Every structure is written in structure tokens, then in C-alpha cells.
Amino acid sequence: MELQEWKLKNKKRRNYAHFDPKVSLDRVWSYISDPRKIASHGFYPFIHYTLSFLKYNKETGLKPKTREICYSAHIDRYIYQYYGFKLNQLYNARVKLDCIEDSAIAYRDNLHKNNIHFAKAAFDFIKGTEECYVIIGDFTKFFDSLNHNYLKERLCSLLCTERLPDDYYAVFKNITKYSTWDLTVLLELNGLENNVNGIQSFNQLEKAISSAQFKELKNKFVKPNKDSFGIPQGSAISAVLSNIYMLDFDKKIKDYVTEKQGLYMRYSDDFIVILPSTTLVSFKSNFQFINLAIQSVPRVKLEPEKTQIFEYNRGVIKSCNEDILQNVKNGKNFINYLGFTFDGRAVTLRDKTVSKYYYRLYRKLKTIVKRNGITKKGKRISCENVYLKYSIKGANVGNGSRGNFITYVKKAERIFSGEKAIGHVRKKHMQKIRKQLNQIK
């Protein structure tokens, strides 16, 4: 991505309230592009809140989940975005030089591919072997675990310097030794309730609190990250920093696997290793090498429950966790990777992905039916939004539309050409929506 393209993509201001005023990129460009300004820039705390939601699983039903959300002030966001862009350009050049361009695949702005392409590449590789072993791995609390000193070393290596330039150091220091201010406190200070309406009203404010209030209250409410590890997931620079953190690991595993005519890809904290034509004894040695490589990266650990081992033999997949992993029982005889399922012969959308779509759809329909199609203010509920969000009617991207889940399904059908089962979710989905809406009297 060229600089002008990046500036065009990020030119608009964001309409959320923070400690500084909402601003567009052109208003701050001369500031954020001046290294001397950034070296002495005073970063604001992130606003933090805990997102609670119910995660639906076909086997276990609804399960409560939480996610810690941190979002930066407006000018800070532009700084993180710009330095993330610059680091990403250096990173793209480095992975090409290290011959790992096709291995580190997440958060890349030059591959022009998505998870569908990567899943297809993995499954096609497996199909192209008569026999192979497959490792599906997941790192535990990846962003929360990144060691600050190790990250700093990797940054210096990427920048070809012994110490970080002052501007880069300022950005590094504030994304590692970041601080937070809870959204609940800010809502209370503005006399707003901690609910959807309260948050909407809060974000309509020009600033979260006045400058005078910020100075008076920051020592009371700001919580610094005192650990020597962890960066806030979701910040504008966190993604590229996580890739930089894994540079040496990706190189080591890619070289090892390539030597054995295999495939290695890492998508953020998920990775897949495919090793063809090997015995169980040899594979145990291969797995030990990979496990030791993981242990050599500070604070990066495998998530035991999400790590799966499979054997593929001429169109048949067999779970073999018990042959390799300690205290991990064999799972089901199919591979789940990046939202898709492969049983050795056919590819489908993962059950969890489809279940999530139907859960959200039916929850919305249930609310409409329960209210008998009437809002609290006595107005008729338009079902057009339901069709746009969940049906083929909203699937065509264009005229300002971003598409919906059916858009994603259609794209997957195109990329996985010939895999007819992928589009099964589209069949009769309109009838299912209408059937529920017909209950309205």
C-alpha cells in the first residue's frame, strides 16, 4: 500500500468520544509525520471496557464470554496507524527477504487475500499429498503475553539499528506501558447509564470530559500496565507488532517445514503445519522441534485445548492427539481451520460459523415477533433491515453497502470452486426468515 492510498483510507475522523476532540487526518498530518513532535508527544490513556457476550456453540449451547476492549484517543490513533503503516512496509520487505511471505499471513496489506484463500491453500496442500500429518495450533492469550524487551529487540532488528529512534521509542513505550481509564467511570462523570443508549449519548460528546476534569481526576482513575509484557489487542499498531514479534519463529519453522516439503502458515495466534510422507516416529521428532521453537519465544505458549494433531491418508482424516500430546484426548476426525471444515474429501463452512449466523438471525426475529412487529413507541417495525443484514437481499456489495454473511458465503463459494456444500447455508434461508416473520399477527 502506498502512502497516498493509506492517507485516503484513513482520512475520515472517527465519531467516538475520547479525551481529545474528534479530528480528521488532514488536520493532524503535519504533526504526526514530524518525528520530533512524536518523540515528545503526550499520549492519552486508552478508554477501556469489558465486552460481555454469549457465544453460541452447537454442542454446548450458549456460553458467556468476555473481551477486554481498549481504544485510543483520536490523535494517538492516527500516530499508531501511521507508525503501524511504516512498520508494515518494512515488515513486508523483511518477510520477502526471509522467504516467509506466504507463512505469516495475518494483517498483511500487500497479499490482497483473506482467510478463505488461506484455508483453501491449506486444504489443497493436504489433498495434494497421499499421506501427511497436520498440526493445528493456537497460542494462549497472544497479545496479552508479548514480552516488551523481546519485542523491542525485534523492532531494532527490523529497523536495522541498535536502539530505537526517539519517535519510534515514544510509540513503543506508550503501546507497552499503556494506561487505561474505565468507560464506566466516564459515563458516570457525564451522568449517563452504562447501557446502549448511555454509550450512544456519550459518543455524541465532543470530548469524554473537559481538560480541567482530566487533569484533576487522572491520578485517581488512570490504571497503568505495570507488567513487562502485554499490549492492548485491537490498537492500530498491535497487529503489525505481533507479526514483528514472531519474525524469527516464523523463519525457523518455515525453513524446517520447507526442508521436509511441508507447509507452514500462521494467522495471528493460529497456525497450521503440514508434514507429508512421514512416519509417526519421525513426526514425533518434528513436533518436538516445533514445540521447542515455540518455547524459545518469550511468553508464547501453546493452548493445549485448541492444539490438534491429525493424520491424513488418501482422503481419510483421523485425529491422533493421544499419540503425540499429553493428557489430550482424540477429537473428531475433521480439521477446522480459519472458519472452514475439511473431512478429507469435502470442505464446508464450520458449524460454529453457521450456528453463529442463525443464532443472531433468530434472536433478531424473535424480538420482532415478541413485540408483534411494533416498536416501544408504537411504530411498525420495518423488516427491511433484517433482510439487508441477514439475507441475499443485502448480499450485493455496492452503493455504500458492506454486504453481510451471505456475501461472505458467496465469496467462499467462488474461491472454493466445486465445493458445493459451502453454499448450503444459503438454501431456504429466505423461507426461514419469512416463516418466523409470518408469526406476527
Side-chain angles (χ1 to χ4, degrees):
M1 182 186 295
E2 298 296 329
L3 178 59
Q4 284 304 120
E5 184 184 352
W6 176 85
K7 290 174 73 173
L8 185 64
K9 181 181 177 182
N10 295 285
K11 68 177 183 178
K12 293 183 179 179
R13 74 176 200 167
R14 299 285 180 86
N15 288 318
Y16 60 82
H18 217 288
F19 299 118
D20 60 343
K22 301 165 187 177
V23 66
S24 58
L25 178 61
D26 63 325
R27 296 280 302 276
V28 298
W29 172 247
S30 61
Y31 182 90
I32 71 168
S33 59
D34 185 342
R36 294 169 300 176
K37 298 288 187 183
I38 304 307
S40 59
H41 177 72
F43 287 79
Y44 283 106
F46 285 82
I47 293 180
H48 163 268
Y49 67 95
T50 301
L51 178 65
S52 301
F53 57 98
L54 294 172
K55 203 165 186 179
Y56 182 77
N57 185 287
K58 192 173 181 180
E59 296 176 354
T60 61
L62 294 175
K63 188 177 180 181
K65 291 277 187 179
T66 59
R67 183 175 297 154
E68 302 306 316
I69 306 295
C70 294
Y71 57 100
S72 57
H74 296 283
I75 193 167
D76 296 352
R77 174 177 58 83
Y78 280 127
I79 293 170
Y80 289 138
Q81 284 180 321
Y82 180 51
Y83 277 78
F85 165 77
K86 294 203 291 183
L87 287 171
N88 213 34
Q89 305 313 298
L90 294 171
Y91 177 83
N92 288 338
R94 173 69 176 272
V95 294
K96 190 172 184 179
L97 185 67
D98 286 353
C99 300
I100 57 173
E101 194 169 20
D102 297 329
S103 295
I105 53 178
Y107 315 125
R108 301 283 301 283
D109 62 2
N110 65 331
L111 294 181
H112 308 297
K113 294 181 179 179
N114 57 35
N115 66 302
I116 306 172
H117 296 97
F118 304 134
K120 185 178 188 301
F123 298 152
D124 283 351
F125 191 93
I126 294 170
K127 291 177 187 177
T129 69
E130 289 189 356
E131 301 175 18
C132 67
Y133 279 92
V134 180
I135 306 170
I136 301 290
D138 186 285
F139 299 129
T140 304
K141 295 182 178 179
F142 186 46
F143 288 88
D144 294 335
S145 302
L146 303 188
N147 178 277
H148 296 164
N149 286 336
Y150 186 77
L151 175 59
K152 188 178 178 182
E153 290 172 6
R154 302 282 72 72
L155 277 168
C156 287
S157 173
L158 183 67
L159 293 166
C160 299
T161 182
E162 292 186 1
R163 64 185 295 272
L164 292 176
D166 291 344
D167 56 329
Y168 278 91
Y169 179 72
V171 174
F172 165 79
K173 184 178 71 173
N174 283 282
I175 200 65
T176 52
K177 293 300 180 182
Y178 65 97
S179 59
T180 61
W181 191 318
D182 280 342
L183 176 61
T184 52
V185 173
L186 294 168
L187 289 170
E188 187 176 342
L189 288 171
N190 283 284
L192 298 169
E193 294 185 19
N194 187 13
N195 56 29
V196 173
N197 291 334
I199 293 172
Q200 287 179 346
S201 297
F202 173 74
N203 283 326
Q204 289 172 7
L205 301 172
E206 183 59 23
K207 292 174 68 174
I209 52 177
S210 68
S211 299
Q213 284 179 298
F214 179 83
K215 290 177 182 178
E216 179 187 351
L217 300 172
K218 65 179 181 179
N219 291 336
K220 181 178 180 181
F221 292 116
V222 171
K223 300 175 184 177
N225 174 34
K226 296 180 179 179
D227 295 321
S228 60
F229 56 87
I231 60 175
Q233 183 176 358
S235 84
I237 200 173
S238 295
V240 66
L241 290 180
S242 71
N243 272 344
I244 294 168
Y245 193 87
M246 300 299 286
L247 266 169
D248 289 358
F249 172 82
D250 289 336
K251 172 68 173 168
K252 183 185 292 187
I253 299 301
K254 173 64 185 295
D255 289 350
Y256 181 82
V257 171
T258 300
E259 187 180 297
K260 301 179 183 305
Q261 289 77 51
L263 177 75
Y264 163 66
M265 291 193 296
R266 179 182 60 80
Y267 193 96
S268 188
D269 54 355
D270 296 312
F271 70 87
I272 185 169
V273 171
I274 304 168
L275 292 167
S277 304
T278 183
T279 64
L280 180 60
V281 173
S282 296
F283 178 71
K284 285 182 177 179
S285 176
N286 299 151
F287 183 79
Q288 185 178 20
F289 176 90
I290 292 167
N291 205 23
L292 288 173
I294 293 170
Q295 292 174 24
S296 71
V297 184
R299 296 192 61 81
V300 170
K301 295 181 181 178
L302 275 178
E303 177 69 62
E305 293 181 1
K306 294 184 179 180
T307 301
Q308 298 288 312
I309 311 292
F310 300 94
E311 180 185 12
Y312 172 82
N313 191 322
R314 294 174 174 82
V316 177
I317 287 177
K318 176 186 174 185
S319 173
C320 52
N321 295 335
E322 294 173 12
D323 295 331
I324 309 295
L325 304 170
Q326 291 185 349
N327 303 317
V328 180
K329 293 183 179 181
N330 288 339
K332 294 184 178 179
N333 296 321
F334 52 75
I335 296 171
N336 285 323
Y337 184 60
L338 298 182
F340 294 88
T341 298
F342 178 53
D343 65 4
R345 298 184 183 277
V347 178
T348 59
L349 283 167
R350 190 176 178 182
D351 278 351
K352 186 177 179 181
T353 306
V354 177
S355 297
K356 186 188 293 184
Y357 161 72
Y358 276 116
Y359 168 70
R360 290 175 175 172
L361 167 61
Y362 284 127
R363 183 178 62 181
K364 182 68 174 178
L365 293 172
K366 185 178 179 181
T367 301
I368 295 173
V369 172
K370 185 177 180 181
R371 293 178 178 173
N372 204 30
I374 304 297
T375 68
K376 291 181 179 179
K377 295 182 178 180
K379 295 182 179 180
R380 181 178 176 276
I381 297 175
S382 171
C383 296
E384 186 66 20
N385 288 336
V386 175
Y387 285 115
L388 289 175
K389 193 170 183 178
Y390 295 101
S391 81
I392 191 71
K393 290 185 177 182
N396 296 323
V397 179
N399 297 322
S401 170
R402 296 177 62 184
N404 58 23
F405 179 70
I406 303 300
T407 309
Y408 177 80
V409 174
K410 289 171 68 179
K411 185 181 292 185
E413 286 182 285
R414 287 197 306 273
I415 295 171
F416 278 102
S417 178
E419 296 287 355
K420 296 181 180 179
I422 284 179
H424 183 73
V425 68
R426 287 208 295 130
K427 295 178 180 178
K428 298 184 178 180
H429 77 282
M430 288 290 287
Q431 292 94 316
K432 292 176 181 177
I433 294 174
R434 291 189 183 113
K435 183 179 178 180
Q436 294 296 315
L437 293 177
N438 286 339
Q439 296 180 52
I440 299 173
K441 297 178 182 179

